[in-house]
Amino acid sequence: MGFTPDFLDEIRNRLPVSDVVGRKVRLTRKGRDHTGLCPFHNEKTPSFTVNDDKGFYHCFGCGAHGDVINFTLETEGLSFPETVERLAGQAGLQMPENSQYDAKKAKVKKTLYDLMEAVTHWFETQLMAEIGRDARDYIQKRGLTKQTVKTFRLGFSPNNKSALKDAMLARSEFTEEMLIESGMLIKPDDGGDSYDRFRGRIMFPITDRQGRVVAFGGRAMSANAKAKYLNSPETPLFHKGRLLYNLSGARKAAFEKGRLLVAEGYMDVIALAQAGFPEGVAPLGTAVTEDQIREMWRLAPEPMMCFDGDKAGQRAALRVVDRALPLLKPGHSLKFVYMPDGEDPDSFVAGQGARAFDQLLTDAVPLAKVLWNELISDVDFSTPEQRAGLEQKIARVLSEIQDEKIQGYYESDFGKRLKNLFGGDFVPDINLHETEQTPTQKKNQQKSWSDNRYEKGRYPRKNADKGIGNLNKTKIGMSMQFSLLDRERLIILTVLEHPWLLERHEELFATFEFESEELDKVRNEIIRITSRDSNLEKENLRHHLIENGMGQAIEIIFRQGVLTAQNFIGRQSSREDTEETWLHSINLFQLDKLEQDIAAYGSKELNEEDYARLQALKEEHSASLKRLTEVSE
């Protein structure tokens, strides 16, 4: 959903910054300002200031700066649309509708949300009534307090095929069709009467990111029930592969503690919260999905997977490892916490206490170690052939990692582990791709191209010694060492620091082919913003990018490219040097890409079309080389 600047400005105008910030920071009024301890870094002396007149907060200690939207985005773990939706509600604003279809869809969803809230309340009343006595006794035996039951809104569904149906249809605002669409009723295929889906079960409400009830999990009270646990089906509100149980409840604690606990069941999450670990979530009756892993990373960089100590728990951990490998990205991974055999988080905290569980968290095992232990378990490597087989197996598994930098680190780490495992003078050779280059091979290939440029006179050696234009030798040498992704980040970072470059080079920037989809999206947004306002300063450009949902992407780009930025974006350089450096980096990038494309034709038989394409690439390469040489002279 898109948001107009006017709509976002109205939110800012209606919500004083001190009101929003004051919910998380104890503020003291000093004149027109409010001061307090910065929530973004540890400090003992207040350096955090909020100014309602100017509509921003600023920390003189760590440099944190923004408005009500930035603050909520950074402290609540919400996406940009979710942040705007929450603040709009606080400001008493109606969310904008994109179309007639969206308006109708939103209205249907709102009515279903109202229905699910009514159902939740009805289940709660049934638990407290005489009909819920056995369910209450069971909950009490499990050690849950009244406050915990209230916090998680536990309820009870009577063992009656139409109890919920009758109760909801007695209210004029709800219909049978709505109850079926929400998953609360089952409509038989033979055309018979609809009936309650959940009967004779303790009910666990499942909420979305905003805390709205969207589905239920039900635990059977009868030992003869076909399914011990039963979840709601997929509905317009509920997609079980995307949500996590207690997602909204765990968000605040996860942000404050910097960690997220992932258990296997509802009762585990509830027991952990009661024991002082409110940052717990759980998948919804299925194996952990890719979407759920991404959702976890929004709350903590290394979620801790807490699995039962039996073989089933170990198998579940390995399934998560398999799912996570292709998704790994810098700074984001998983850790694994194993319960003692026969224990789960619920039983462990009940029997051993919170301090013992805290120790288990301290001993959490990194994903890399879990993967390594699995790869070498029950493997005989006493012969050369068996060692080669193990290397091949490791290479095949590591090839699943999509991020080249992480893959390279795993290659190096597992190579060292192999050397320690085999001992002696063994030198591992983990070939991650039999038909493709590994990140290390790609780096070596790029270095080879760079060396050949000088050896074959492509770059005049005298100019290389002098430096390119006014650039020094250090920067030239560094530019040769950058990976293609580093150069892509450099191109974005330089524009973010020096938007004036687009006054002369907007077309070059707009047509540059980014390999990174994330960087490509940021570039497109920069072009869109600057096309409306060509005189943007860097602070205003970043502000507009954050407003348009690019805040997290910008943060990641700066964090991952900080070394590149420190040496290249030229904060103290003249405009001429900055422009020259930036153009040089673009030329080098394009040259490297062309050389890689040309090299790819060296291992294949060329048909007429391939030959024509190769000649075109060579001509383009010559032109790029000429441009680069002209800059060098």
Side-chain angles (χ1 to χ4, degrees):
M1 176 180 287
F3 303 101
T4 64
D6 289 344
F7 182 74
L8 297 178
D9 285 339
E10 186 63 18
I11 289 178
R12 298 185 188 97
N13 293 335
R14 291 195 183 196
L15 295 177
V17 186
S18 60
D19 284 358
V20 176
V21 174
R23 298 184 186 118
K24 291 187 174 294
V25 179
R26 179 175 293 179
L27 297 174
T28 301
R29 189 177 183 90
K30 291 187 176 181
R32 291 188 174 185
D33 292 341
H34 296 76
T35 61
L37 296 176
C38 179
F40 301 105
H41 79 288
N42 294 323
E43 62 176 10
K44 295 182 179 179
T45 303
S47 60
F48 186 78
T49 300
V50 176
N51 188 304
D52 285 335
D53 293 339
K54 297 179 180 179
F56 67 75
Y57 61 86
H58 182 81
C59 178
F60 294 94
C62 69
H65 182 91
D67 55 24
V68 289
I69 297 175
N70 301 127
F71 188 84
T72 306
L73 199 66
E74 295 294 332
T75 59
E76 294 291 343
L78 301 170
S79 67
F80 182 71
E82 291 168 344
T83 297
V84 174
E85 183 176 359
R86 173 174 291 187
L87 293 176
Q90 294 173 9
L93 288 172
Q94 186 73 28
M95 287 290 285
E97 304 293 351
N98 286 350
S99 67
Q100 209 169 20
Y101 170 76
D102 286 340
K104 182 178 179 181
K105 186 176 177 182
K107 186 175 181 180
V108 169
K109 278 193 170 185
K110 183 181 185 305
T111 308
L112 289 180
Y113 285 130
D114 293 339
L115 169 63
M116 297 303 282
E117 175 60 30
V119 170
T120 303
H121 180 69
W122 188 79
F123 283 149
E124 288 178 300
T125 62
Q126 299 306 298
L127 179 63
M128 294 299 108
E130 179 62 28
I131 198 171
R133 177 186 294 275
D134 291 344
R136 291 199 306 275
D137 290 345
Y138 173 83
I139 289 172
Q140 189 174 10
K141 288 178 182 177
R142 295 296 297 264
L144 301 187
T145 66
K146 290 182 178 180
Q147 183 57 48
T148 297
V149 172
K150 182 179 179 181
T151 299
F152 286 89
R153 304 193 66 183
L154 302 190
F156 177 68
S157 57
N159 192 16
N160 184 308
K161 296 190 72 172
S162 65
L164 174 66
K165 177 181 176 179
D166 295 341
M168 292 300 108
L169 293 184
R171 303 175 57 161
S172 59
E173 66 266 38
F174 303 135
T175 66
E176 182 178 4
E177 288 72 21
M178 291 168 57
L179 286 163
I180 294 172
E181 188 174 18
S182 68
M184 302 314 300
L185 297 185
I186 295 176
K187 179 67 174 176
D189 294 334
D190 60 10
D193 292 339
S194 60
Y195 56 91
D196 291 0
R197 179 180 298 275
F198 298 98
R199 304 181 303 280
R201 294 176 180 271
I202 295 174
M203 302 303 294
F204 299 83
I206 299 168
T207 62
D208 62 9
R209 299 179 188 89
Q210 282 87 1
R212 298 171 299 195
V213 178
V214 295
F216 291 92
R219 189 200 186 281
M221 290 297 297
S222 172
N224 299 322
K226 293 181 179 179
K228 182 177 178 181
Y229 279 96
L230 179 66
N231 282 342
S232 290
E234 298 272 318
T235 72
L237 303 182
F238 178 54
H239 304 283
K240 61 183 177 182
R242 300 178 192 171
L243 281 180
L244 293 160
Y245 179 67
N246 195 41
L247 178 60
S248 62
R251 178 183 284 115
K252 183 174 182 292
F255 264 78
E256 290 175 350
K257 294 187 176 184
R259 73 183 183 193
L260 182 71
L261 310 181
V262 185
E264 291 189 76
Y266 306 141
M267 285 301 298
D268 292 325
V269 171
I270 295 172
L272 287 175
Q274 185 169 286
F277 303 93
E279 67 275 23
V281 297
L284 299 167
T286 61
V288 175
T289 67
E290 289 87 348
D291 285 338
Q292 287 171 336
I293 292 174
R294 295 187 185 98
E295 194 67 58
M296 295 172 197
W297 282 339
R298 293 176 65 181
L299 301 184
E302 288 188 302
M304 296 183 175
M305 316 300 295
C306 305
F307 289 104
D308 298 353
D310 55 16
K311 290 184 178 180
Q314 295 172 12
R315 288 195 298 271
L318 294 176
R319 285 196 298 270
V320 174
V321 171
D322 289 341
R323 286 280 172 86
L325 280 178
L327 307 177
L328 294 178
K329 54 185 179 179
H332 292 76
S333 186
L334 301 172
K335 288 187 175 181
F336 293 82
V337 179
Y338 292 102
M339 302 294 109
D341 194 19
E343 298 270 21
D344 56 29
D346 179 12
S347 63
F348 187 85
V349 294
Q352 304 296 324
R355 182 174 296 180
F357 186 76
D358 227 351
Q359 185 58 50
L360 287 182
L361 299 183
T362 301
D363 298 334
V365 183
L367 184 148
K369 187 173 182 179
V370 173
L371 177 60
W372 171 257
N373 290 339
E374 171 60 18
L375 288 171
I376 65 170
S377 64
D378 300 324
V379 174
D380 188 353
F381 44 85
S382 56
T383 69
E385 293 82 3
Q386 290 166 340
R387 293 184 179 188
L390 178 56
E391 280 194 72
Q392 189 177 58
K393 177 183 177 181
I394 292 173
R396 185 171 62 253
V397 172
L398 296 191
S399 69
E400 296 296 318
I401 300 173
Q402 299 299 307
D403 187 283
E404 288 191 359
K405 183 174 288 187
I406 294 177
Q407 191 186 77
Y409 277 118
Y410 266 81
E411 177 188 7
S412 174
D413 180 56
F414 278 35
K416 292 175 184 177
R417 292 175 188 258
L418 276 176
K419 187 172 183 178
N420 292 334
L421 182 67
F422 294 162
D425 299 325
F426 171 77
V427 179
D429 179 25
I430 301 178
N431 182 16
L432 295 186
H433 302 286
E434 294 181 1
T435 59
E436 300 177 9
Q437 291 179 314
T438 67
T440 302
Q441 290 170 330
K442 288 180 179 178
K443 184 176 180 181
N444 292 337
Q445 178 68 59
Q446 292 168 6
K447 185 177 184 301
S448 174
W449 276 113
S450 300
D451 293 342
N452 288 339
R453 290 173 189 152
Y454 290 120
E455 290 171 7
K456 297 181 180 181
R458 292 179 176 177
Y459 296 158
R461 177 63 71 176
K462 61 179 181 179
N463 288 332
D465 292 337
K466 290 180 180 179
I468 298 177
N470 294 324
L471 305 181
N472 60 43
K473 289 187 292 183
T474 303
K475 286 189 175 182
I476 296 170
M478 286 183 60
S479 70
M480 295 300 179
Q481 297 170 13
F482 285 158
S483 68
L484 295 181
L485 182 57
D486 284 335
R487 290 204 189 109
E488 287 191 338
R489 292 194 188 111
L490 164 63
I491 291 161
I492 291 286
L493 284 167
T494 308
V495 171
L496 290 173
E497 282 292 314
H498 306 285
W500 52 264
L501 283 167
L502 299 184
E503 294 173 12
R504 296 178 56 185
H505 305 291
E506 182 176 4
E507 183 177 355
L508 175 63
F509 185 61
T511 57
F512 183 85
E513 293 185 7
F514 285 94
E515 286 195 336
S516 166
E517 291 185 10
E518 193 65 35
L519 293 178
D520 188 58
K521 291 177 183 177
V522 174
R523 182 269 306 278
N524 292 337
E525 189 62 27
I526 291 174
I527 292 294
R528 190 183 70 82
I529 292 170
T530 55
S531 65
R532 295 187 318 213
D533 187 348
S534 59
N535 297 315
L536 281 176
E537 296 294 329
K538 65 179 182 180
E539 290 82 6
N540 291 334
L541 175 58
R542 289 185 205 171
H543 181 71
H544 282 294
L545 287 168
I546 291 171
E547 278 189 339
N548 287 280
M550 291 288 174
Q552 187 176 11
I554 296 299
E555 179 186 349
I556 292 172
I557 290 169
F558 268 91
R559 185 169 63 245
Q560 293 178 343
V562 65
L563 295 178
T564 306
Q566 287 174 351
N567 291 282
F568 247 95
I569 56 179
R571 289 189 175 92
Q572 306 302 323
S573 302
S574 66
R575 283 199 170 201
E576 182 181 351
D577 284 355
T578 299
E579 183 178 24
E580 195 173 346
T581 306
W582 187 65
L583 293 173
H584 172 67
S585 184
I586 289 179
N587 287 331
L588 275 177
F589 182 95
Q590 292 172 334
L591 200 64
D592 279 343
K593 283 284 295 174
L594 286 169
E595 288 173 344
Q596 285 187 8
D597 291 342
I598 291 171
Y601 282 93
S603 59
K604 60 185 291 188
E605 294 184 9
L606 304 182
N607 55 32
E608 186 174 345
E609 183 179 346
D610 289 336
Y611 181 77
R613 173 59 180 155
L614 177 59
Q615 294 306 114
L617 285 172
K618 287 183 175 179
E619 290 176 8
E620 189 177 351
H621 177 269
S622 297
S624 296
L625 185 59
K626 182 180 180 181
R627 286 195 300 270
L628 195 62
T629 306
E630 288 172 352
V631 174
S632 304
E633 294 175 346

